[in-house]
């Protein structure tokens, strides 16, 4: 039975058996069937259209969500790029202005013949500090770009955690004393040596401790504890380092994002940029480097804090979990020789001596 146009698509089949009373099937039975078939076809077609429409709606919704997340990612990237420019230019401009200022003063005093040795020594010390800061920022930016492309060259060798902690703390002890903070370290003795890039590990831990110093008010407490654990999943021995402070703490919503580059959880605009001053602003690269180094060792870093409150001082604890033996794929890759921008010290002293001799000759003639 074909009662429809020949180009129509088959939507389904309607079967009809012999009649109950065994009568012959007549034309009006067929037209009743055709009407039924057409109505059922229309209903089916509509149902399919509705279901197709729903599918298209879902697809459109998914595409919108994907677009929205791509837009958010782009906005984030754009914000990071803007932050990068703002932070890098601010962080570079401050020491650059100091270099400019001191060289102008030295020049002016020198022209008037008023430059004494003591003044010169103090100004060159400040000049060195300013250039050190610029060098450090550039070094950190290079480190982050290596982490970004997974190209941090880690040189693994047996290292003692006790020594890592000692070396990380050494350059900070004077500042900790000045800030009247107390620092304790527990559980470091007797831990097995880990396979690690000592220099990088020291850098990572130092960044974490430096933040504890910065975000804890004068007179506060910083505690470092270490313990050996056995990971039940991997059955590997791991060392857990915890750096706790009695500082301003970190909001829950910032606890993950602070490990991203150029992110600062507290508004630093009101504060000084001194390296260890309370709430001193940094470029927001310290934790990015720490995470890059620790993950490069097959480890993990995270923070726990009840929130941020500069009055109640809930404090923060940064945890660093390191496998005693890093997994095979953790070993560093590319060789990267950092370019040194500072002149070799002996060369510099030679230049100074040459300059002094020339001055004497001019004075003598
Ligand atoms: P920087 O210190 O250069 O700003 P980091 O990447 O080291 O950058 O840290 C990012 C941000 O995380 C800091 O600006 C600060 O807001 C927050 N932070 C890190 N450590 C602490 C801490 N111990 N207590 C409170 N806030 C912290």
């Amino acid at each position: 039975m074909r009662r429809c146009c020949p180009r129509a698509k088959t939507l389904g089949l309607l079967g009809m058996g012999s009649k109950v009373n065994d009568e012959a099937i007549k034309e009006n039975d067929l037209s009743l069937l055709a009407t039924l078939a057409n109505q059922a076809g229309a209903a089916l077609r509509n149902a399919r259209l509705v279901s197709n429409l729903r599918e298209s709606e879902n697809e459109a919704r998914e595409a919108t969500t994907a677009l929205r997340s791509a837009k958010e990612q782009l906005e984030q990237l754009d914000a990071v790029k803007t932050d990068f420019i703002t932070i890098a230019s601010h962080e570079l401009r401050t020491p650059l202005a100091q270099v400019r200022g001191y060289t102008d003063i030295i020049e002016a005093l020198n022209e008037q013949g008023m430059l004494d040795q003591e003044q010169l020594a103090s100004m060159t010390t400040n000049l060195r500090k300013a250039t050190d800061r610029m060098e450090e920022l550039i070094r950190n930016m290079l480190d982050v770009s290596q982490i970004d492309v997974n190209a941090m060259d880690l040189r693994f060798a047996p290292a003692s955690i006790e020594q890592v902690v000692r070396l990380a703390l050494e350059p900070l002890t004077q500042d900790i004393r000045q800030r009247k903070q107390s620092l304790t370290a527990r559980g470091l003795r007797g831990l097995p040596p880990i396979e690690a890039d000592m220099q990088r590990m020291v850098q990572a831990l130092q960044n974490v401790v430096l933040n504890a110093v910065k975000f804890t008010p004068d007179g506060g407490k910083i505690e470092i504890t270490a313990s050996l654990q056995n990971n039940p999943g991997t059955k590997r021995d791991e060392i857990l380092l915890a750096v706790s402070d009695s500082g301003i703490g970190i909001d829950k919503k910032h606890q993950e994002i602070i490990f991203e580059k150029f992110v600062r959880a507290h508004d630093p605009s009101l504060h000084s940029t001194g390296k260890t001053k309370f709430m001193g602003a940094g470029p927001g690269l310290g934790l990015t480097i720490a995470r890059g180094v620790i993950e490069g060792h097959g480890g993990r870093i995270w923070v726990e804090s009840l929130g941020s409150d500069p009055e109640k001082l809930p404090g923060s604890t940064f945890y660093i979990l390191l496998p005693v033996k890093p997994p095979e794929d953790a070993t560093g890759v590319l060789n990267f020789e950092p370019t040194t921008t500072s002149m070799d010290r002996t060369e510099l002293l030679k230049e100074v001596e040459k300059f002094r001799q020339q001055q004497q000759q001019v004075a003598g003639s």
Side-chain angles (χ1 to χ4, degrees), residues 211 214-215 245 249-250 258 263-266 282-284 286-287 316 318:
N211 281 337
K214 271 201 308 194
F215 295 98
D245 62 57
I250 305 166
I258 50 170
V263 172
R264 307 193 281 203
H266 305 94
L287 289 179
S316 316
F318 280 80

Side-chain angles (χ1 to χ4, degrees), residues 62-261:
E62 274 166 25
T64 317
T65 317
L67 259 178
R68 197 169 296 138
S69 104
K71 183 174 166 266
E72 270 165 21
Q73 262 180 359
L74 273 177
E75 275 170 0
Q76 259 177 16
L77 275 178
D78 198 47
V80 165
K81 203 178 75 199
T82 317
D83 284 353
F84 163 77
I85 295 166
T86 319
I87 295 170
S89 60
H90 170 77
E91 292 287 318
L92 282 172
R93 213 181 311 124
T94 315
L96 206 59
Q98 288 169 343
V99 170
R100 182 73 209 222
Y102 285 118
T103 40
D104 284 352
I105 298 172
I106 292 175
E107 197 179 28
L109 286 176
N110 193 36
E111 270 169 16
Q112 294 160 17
M114 287 164 62
L115 192 62
D116 65 44
Q117 289 295 311
E118 214 176 298
Q119 279 175 327
L120 189 62
S122 120
M123 281 189 278
T124 48
T125 306
N126 289 334
L127 275 172
R128 177 168 293 277
K129 274 191 201 155
T131 48
D132 282 352
R133 254 176 80 180
M134 287 195 277
E135 237 178 45
E136 192 187 339
L137 176 66
I138 290 162
R139 216 175 21 241
N140 283 344
M141 284 161 94
L142 282 175
D143 284 349
V144 167
S145 61
Q146 282 184 58
I147 290 168
D148 274 350
V149 292
N150 244 338
M152 187 165 254
D153 177 27
L154 298 172
R155 290 147 204 257
F156 288 83
S160 114
I161 283 286
E162 194 178 357
Q163 204 185 357
V164 170
V165 173
R166 194 163 42 78
L167 290 175
L169 294 180
E170 227 164 54
L172 301 175
T173 44
Q174 209 190 334
D175 295 279
I176 294 175
R177 212 171 297 134
Q178 255 175 16
R179 302 272 323 275
K180 299 194 172 45
Q181 292 170 333
S182 75
L183 174 77
T184 50
R186 281 184 291 124
L188 297 172
R189 296 247 163 85
L191 293 173
I194 59 164
E195 258 180 58
D197 183 315
M198 176 69 116
Q199 224 179 330
R200 288 293 186 189
M201 211 32 110
V202 168
Q203 181 188 17
L205 183 65
Q206 198 171 78
N207 288 352
V208 174
V209 181
L210 179 64
N211 281 337
V213 176
K214 271 201 308 194
F215 295 98
T216 301
D218 291 7
K221 264 199 307 193
I222 299 165
E223 277 177 12
I224 301 174
T225 50
S227 55
L228 181 66
Q229 322 200 322
N230 187 271
N231 184 321
T234 58
K235 305 258 181 295
R236 285 172 186 231
D237 280 341
E238 293 171 339
I239 283 173
L240 181 68
L241 270 170
V243 180
S244 311
D245 62 57
S246 61
I248 59 170
I250 305 166
D251 272 340
K252 298 261 180 230
K253 65 171 190 264
H254 291 138
Q255 288 177 11
E256 272 192 31
I257 200 164
I258 50 170
F259 293 95
E260 298 300 324
K261 55 182 178 251

